[in-house]
Amino acid sequence: MGGLQRLENKLEQMISGAFARAFRSAVQPVEIAAALQRECDNNAQILSRERRLVPNDFHVELSRTDLDRLSAYDAALAEDMAGQLRTHADQQGYVFPGPVTISFDAADDLTTGRFRIRSRAQAKVTSDATATQAGRARAFIEVNGTRHPLQQPGLVVGRGTEADLRINDPGVSRRHIQFLISPGSGATPQIEVHDLGSTNGMLVDGHRITSTRLRDGSEVRIGSTTMVVRVLEDR
């Protein structure tokens, strides 16, 4: 018995047959599970001879009718489909940059029985900053749904353990860039970013440069990860 068939059988047993009745004429979850695997296969990026990076953040878009039918089971479906994806990744030598997440969303342009998947590789982000530091900060960087304080004298971003902000992105060097913070006018800090001799460099607002001053809303991209600078207004 294949992995997808085992997944479908498990889901049917889990919800006592209601699953099969609810989805008889709509999108079948086993179709979604298969499409999620194909999404990984089609977007695999070579890291080494035996390792390939694949997306880990998935949005399954369905018609409103299908989404309503699925809503009673979406959490259980997401959990089991994520487990199936992790098994598939192990078998294929795939690497996820962070936790696997699957969400289900409505799309008004889709009819009953049709769906599509949008995916992205979203790196896990960890920081040494404390809650006190975050509360005092007048500037932050936002990355992959998390916010991290920018305080004097600065912040090193990279993939290695020696970085202050660690991003599990294979395109990011161990010490990739450094944000430098200095007093500005009033309570607004002055922020600069410098490349630390990284392998892949950085883009600031779409331009490849090695150092520059930043403002509120500036976007800094390293590897496949984008960070957005946020500066709070003067008190």
Side-chain angles (χ1 to χ4, degrees):
M1 182 184 297
L4 291 176
Q5 185 62 51
R6 287 195 298 270
L7 173 63
E8 186 174 36
N9 290 344
K10 178 181 178 181
L11 290 170
E12 288 183 4
Q13 295 169 5
M14 178 178 62
I15 54 182
S16 304
F19 170 82
R21 293 193 297 274
F23 291 92
R24 186 169 297 150
S25 61
V27 170
Q28 300 296 317
V30 70
E31 295 178 295
I32 298 176
L36 288 168
Q37 290 189 11
R38 288 196 300 272
E39 189 73 10
C40 287
D41 296 339
N42 294 337
N43 291 280
Q45 302 177 37
I46 297 175
L47 297 177
S48 66
R49 192 169 186 176
E50 298 179 350
R51 298 170 67 244
R52 286 177 286 176
L53 179 73
V54 293
N56 61 312
D57 182 53
F58 302 89
H59 294 265
V60 182
E61 297 183 345
L62 308 110
S63 70
R64 292 191 176 276
T65 299
D66 284 327
L67 185 63
D68 288 343
R69 290 173 174 171
L70 181 146
S71 60
Y73 320 115
D74 58 358
L77 286 172
E79 181 179 351
D80 280 273
M81 288 178 180
Q84 181 68 22
L85 274 182
R86 286 190 288 267
T87 299
H88 180 65
D90 289 341
Q91 294 171 345
Q92 301 298 321
Y94 294 157
V95 176
F96 296 113
V100 176
T101 58
I102 301 172
S103 64
F104 301 92
D105 307 300
D108 293 334
D109 62 322
L110 294 177
T111 57
T112 302
R114 299 181 64 84
F115 69 94
R116 63 172 168 255
I117 295 175
R118 301 187 189 277
S119 67
R120 60 178 176 172
Q122 181 164 281
K124 180 181 179 181
V125 182
T126 55
S127 171
D128 294 330
T130 65
T132 300
Q133 290 173 325
R136 292 176 177 174
R138 304 300 302 153
F140 302 84
I141 55 173
E142 295 177 347
V143 52
N144 292 352
T146 60
R147 175 179 269 198
H148 305 274
L150 290 173
Q151 291 184 304
Q152 297 182 51
L155 180 76
V156 173
V157 181
R159 186 166 44 86
T161 56
E162 64 270 31
D164 303 308
L165 182 66
R166 297 173 292 282
I167 301 178
N168 187 31
D169 182 332
V172 173
S173 297
R174 298 185 64 82
R175 286 171 53 88
H176 200 115
I177 60 173
Q178 183 176 25
F179 292 92
L180 295 179
I181 319 300
S182 58
S185 58
T188 303
Q190 179 176 301
I191 306 170
E192 298 178 358
V193 64
H194 298 263
D195 188 282
L196 297 176
S198 65
T199 301
N200 297 317
M202 70 172 173
L203 297 176
V204 178
D205 294 329
H207 302 286
R208 185 169 295 277
I209 53 180
T210 57
S211 65
T212 187
R213 287 187 61 175
L214 302 172
R215 53 177 176 75
D216 181 50
S218 291
E219 293 188 355
V220 181
R221 184 174 180 84
I222 57 176
S224 59
T225 301
T226 298
M227 295 167 282
V228 181
V229 176
R230 297 298 183 195
V231 180
L232 303 183
E233 294 182 0
D234 291 350
R235 296 178 188 274

